[in-house]
Amino acid sequence: MMRLQETKKRHSAAGTFVLLGISMGLLVMVGWCVARMDVPLGQLPTQHYLDTVRQGSYFTLANLAEASLRTTTRLFIGLIWSLLFSIIFGVLAARCKPARHVILPLVNLLESVPLLGFLTFTTAWFMGLFPNNVLGVEAVATFGVFTAQAWNIMLSLYQSLRVTPHELLEVTDQFGCNQWQRFWRLELPYATPGILWNVVISQSAAWFALVACEQASVAVPRTETFILPGIGSYLQIALDRSNFGAVLSAVAAMVICVLVVNVLIFQPLIKATANYKYGTSSAESFSPQSAIYDLLKGAKLPSDSQRLGRSIRTWWLFTLPQTWIMRQITRTIRRLKRLATLWTILWYGVLTGLITWLAVFLAGYLDWPKWQTLLDWTLLTTGRVVLAVIMSAVIFIPLAIWVASTPTRLSRMQPIGQVVGSIPSDVYVPIVVVIIAVTGSSHQWWVLPLIMTGTQWYFFFNVIAGYLAIPNDIHEVTHVFHLTGWRWWIQFLIPSIFPYLITAIINAAGAAWNADIAAELITWGTKTYAISGLGAYVAKNVDNKPAEATGVLIICGMVGLCVIFVWQPLYRFAERRFHY
């Protein structure tokens, strides 16, 4: 008995030490990086300076270590903003029908807007917020991370809110929970597993954005490209100089960062959220393993911290809603909801006016002389995007089911998938160039694989989240009815994970357009390989804003057609037919 108590004490002490270590490590890293952000812009190296003065001294271990810390901090800051955005607009879209008609089409559209399109119109604005300060360039990079994460996290939360089981909602009504308490005590915990898996995907997608966002071009007074310390900029400089050793070093640093964050943060969270699964079986039967979580579970916080946590929880769940009720905020919201028809009419009226104004403006700004060629390129690129999404689904849906079906396999494969998914398509360019040089191939075979590097992991992680969310009672029903083979897939699995599949398809389609721009035109040092397509047209015209805007607008138009005729009907179908 004494030995058991001693073991528990040691376990508790180790857990407390790990918790303090992770917390202090994050605070020190973020504090150190933020302190280095608020400095004059002139302290950043420029592309011209690196090309002339520091050609041989940039690729050092010290620079790579600083780059790793700065990039990791940007990822966390972007994630915080993405979660805030997702909670606000995801709940608004789920609760308010007029807002839903505005938010969902805009999010579907923005998700497919190429990153270059965002940077074209936001870089100058962010730099103006913090004139002659590194914070302006940091804001550009953080916004790039935000655009890579926010949309799919918000869509995951929205989808979960729309398919929350009715019997659980009835339980909250019986306990007298208001809308605020129902969200924080039921709906958010129910949606947390899906959100967490989308956060994992988002971290992978953010690495793609950082390669482009950790550099900013501004006129000061001549056009200069400022380089932020970060793994993305380090990797891009290595690619520009054909330095294969530096590329490998950047990838190694990226893998280490992903693994550390995964082991210390994501795996414990995934293990913890297994308790939120809807069903009657214990979490231990299906959740992945995490040694850090097992240690943290035994950690003991000081009594003052525990009392402070309880006080904050009581204020957040009970006192704050009462304040809103006293100020009649809830009643005001109900009155606004009754004007749903008026808000819908106003929205479509404003939208019609904006489209008319935009059409008049763009008619004189855009580069239209090649409209027939652009139409051909649009059809080619759309075909590549659709084919890449289909191939990703066919390959990675069965793979995700195979991984998620065994807890041990999931614990081993999830970090591998996260690491491989974090590698930007630019890293594969040297391999592609070598194969082209050796084989003399001119069949443009590299396009689909490079596009798939940006799409396949949305299927992998969303399907895993959907499979883990299936109640064990439903699994047992399939054994009773002896469902196997194609009947198991068609009659059980696809309907069970259908909302997650819709989220995966929408996110993958949006990512495919961004990946296509990088895939249709690849460079390695002085060598450039391009094929005909809308993505190559946008990539070639980065310095020609009217032409670039034309390509981006065409992509937005294609996405808009998908929103109207594909995504919105699929959303309604999933909400009506597939939920527990």
Side-chain angles (χ1 to χ4, degrees):
M1 188 68 179
M2 293 291 294
R3 184 176 297 176
L4 181 60
Q5 290 179 349
E6 297 250 343
T7 303
K8 287 184 177 179
K9 286 182 179 179
R10 285 197 299 269
H11 189 275
S12 176
T16 304
F17 178 77
V18 171
L19 178 61
L20 290 176
I22 294 174
S23 303
M24 293 301 297
L26 284 174
L27 288 175
V28 170
M29 180 186 70
V30 173
W32 181 80
C33 291
V34 170
R36 296 178 71 86
M37 293 178 185
D38 191 12
V39 295
L41 187 61
Q43 293 190 17
L44 282 183
T46 64
Q47 186 69 57
H48 175 73
Y49 174 73
L50 293 178
D51 289 341
T52 57
V53 180
R54 295 188 58 185
Q55 285 193 3
S57 61
Y58 183 77
F59 300 116
T60 64
L61 185 60
N63 282 343
L64 188 57
E66 180 183 357
S68 302
L69 294 176
R70 298 282 290 269
T71 291
T72 304
T73 300
R74 290 181 197 113
L75 289 173
F76 281 120
I77 295 174
L79 177 60
I80 292 172
W81 283 109
S82 299
L83 289 173
L84 289 174
F85 170 87
S86 301
I87 290 175
I88 294 172
F89 290 95
V91 173
L92 191 60
R95 294 278 190 271
C96 183
K97 188 175 181 180
R100 188 182 315 148
H101 292 316
V102 178
I103 293 172
L104 288 185
L106 280 178
V107 168
N108 293 145
L109 183 64
L110 292 173
E111 186 176 27
S112 300
V113 172
L115 182 60
L116 290 174
F118 285 114
L119 296 182
T120 299
F121 300 104
T122 58
T123 299
W125 184 76
F126 280 117
M127 297 294 290
L129 285 179
F130 307 96
N132 298 318
N133 196 293
V134 173
L135 283 173
V137 190
E138 290 284 355
V140 173
T142 303
F143 180 72
V145 173
F146 171 85
T147 61
Q149 298 182 107
W151 322 126
N152 55 308
I153 297 176
M154 195 225 84
L155 290 174
S156 175
L157 174 60
Y158 165 79
Q159 194 66 55
S160 296
L161 293 176
R162 297 292 294 174
V163 298
T164 304
H166 295 301
E167 55 267 29
L168 295 182
L169 298 175
E170 292 173 358
V171 170
T172 60
D173 293 336
Q174 292 172 0
F175 278 96
C177 295
N178 54 40
Q179 292 284 332
W180 178 261
Q181 294 166 343
R182 188 177 82 176
F183 173 75
W184 291 104
R185 306 186 77 175
L186 168 65
E187 292 173 322
L188 184 61
Y190 178 80
T192 296
I195 292 174
L196 184 56
W197 284 106
N198 273 278
V199 168
V200 173
I201 306 170
S202 300
Q203 292 289 293
S204 300
W207 288 99
F208 282 82
L210 284 170
V211 175
C213 292
E214 287 183 343
Q215 336 181 37
S217 298
V218 294
V220 287
R222 68 179 187 274
T223 300
E224 284 281 13
T225 300
F226 287 94
I227 308 297
L228 277 176
I231 295 179
S233 59
Y234 191 99
L235 176 62
Q236 187 59 58
I237 293 170
L239 290 169
D240 292 341
R241 297 183 181 179
S242 306
N243 192 326
F244 193 68
V247 170
L248 291 180
S249 299
V251 172
M254 184 186 304
V255 169
I256 292 172
C257 291
V258 172
L259 286 177
V260 169
V261 172
N262 181 74
V263 171
L264 296 182
I265 297 178
F266 287 129
Q267 279 194 351
L269 287 175
I270 291 171
K271 173 76 173 178
T273 57
N275 297 302
Y276 299 147
K277 181 180 178 180
Y278 178 55
T280 57
S281 61
S282 66
E284 299 296 328
S285 62
F286 62 88
S287 61
Q289 301 303 310
S290 171
I292 299 297
Y293 172 81
D294 295 336
L295 286 173
L296 293 177
K297 190 166 60 171
K300 289 187 178 180
L301 294 175
S303 56
D304 292 340
S305 300
Q306 294 181 21
R307 283 195 296 270
L308 178 61
R310 286 193 293 267
S311 300
I312 293 175
R313 178 177 177 273
T314 301
W315 176 83
W316 186 258
L317 288 177
F318 301 102
T319 307
L320 184 60
Q322 290 300 321
T323 304
W324 289 1
I325 292 173
M326 291 174 59
R327 297 184 178 181
Q328 298 185 343
I329 295 177
T330 306
R331 185 179 301 176
T332 303
I333 293 175
R334 290 199 192 105
R335 289 174 179 173
L336 290 175
K337 283 185 176 181
R338 292 172 186 168
L339 302 175
T341 304
L342 176 61
W343 296 124
T344 303
I345 293 173
L346 286 175
W347 160 243
Y348 283 111
V350 171
L351 186 62
T352 302
L354 285 174
I355 291 175
T356 303
W357 173 83
L358 190 63
V360 173
F361 170 76
L362 293 177
Y365 178 76
L366 297 181
D367 183 23
W368 292 112
K370 298 180 179 179
W371 65 269
Q372 190 169 2
T373 304
L374 286 175
L375 179 61
D376 296 336
W377 289 347
T378 301
L379 295 177
L380 283 173
T381 298
T382 303
R384 294 181 187 123
V385 166
V386 172
L387 188 56
V389 171
I390 292 174
M391 290 176 63
S392 299
V394 170
I395 296 172
F396 279 83
I397 290 176
L399 178 62
I401 298 299
W402 177 75
V403 169
S405 59
T406 305
T408 304
R409 193 182 297 146
L410 177 61
S411 298
R412 294 174 179 172
M413 296 297 295
Q414 181 262 327
I416 295 175
Q418 189 181 352
V419 168
V420 178
S422 299
I423 299 176
S425 59
D426 306 67
V427 174
Y428 301 105
V429 169
I431 302 173
V432 172
V433 172
V434 169
I435 296 175
I436 293 174
V438 171
T439 62
S441 173
S442 60
H443 297 294
Q444 305 170 354
W445 53 269
W446 69 83
V447 178
L448 287 180
L450 289 181
I451 296 177
M452 289 175 64
T453 60
T455 62
Q456 56 204 16
W457 303 109
Y458 288 99
F459 288 101
F460 184 74
F461 288 112
N462 271 293
V463 170
I464 287 177
Y467 186 83
L468 295 180
I470 300 173
N472 280 6
D473 300 342
I474 306 298
H475 281 287
E476 294 169 2
V477 170
T478 64
H479 297 306
V480 172
F481 286 95
H482 303 290
L483 287 180
T484 58
W486 286 107
R487 290 180 61 214
W488 182 83
W489 280 87
I490 295 173
Q491 298 180 16
F492 161 66
L493 183 67
I494 299 299
S496 297
I497 65 173
F498 194 77
Y500 292 86
L501 275 180
I502 296 303
T503 303
I505 293 171
I506 294 174
N507 292 332
W513 287 102
N514 279 290
D516 178 80
I517 295 176
E520 289 187 353
L521 188 146
I522 60 176
T523 58
W524 173 247
T526 58
K527 296 180 180 179
T528 299
Y529 299 91
I531 64 174
S532 298
L534 196 59
Y537 178 78
V538 173
K540 287 178 180 177
N541 290 283
V542 173
D543 297 327
N544 183 355
K545 297 307 178 184
E548 181 189 23
T550 302
V552 172
L553 183 66
I554 293 174
I555 291 176
C556 292
M558 296 301 298
V559 174
L561 293 176
C562 289
V563 169
I564 296 172
F565 296 107
V566 181
W567 306 144
Q568 292 296 331
L570 282 177
Y571 266 133
R572 290 191 291 269
F573 183 66
E575 293 169 6
R576 186 174 64 252
R577 292 290 302 276
F578 300 111
H579 57 81
Y580 298 113

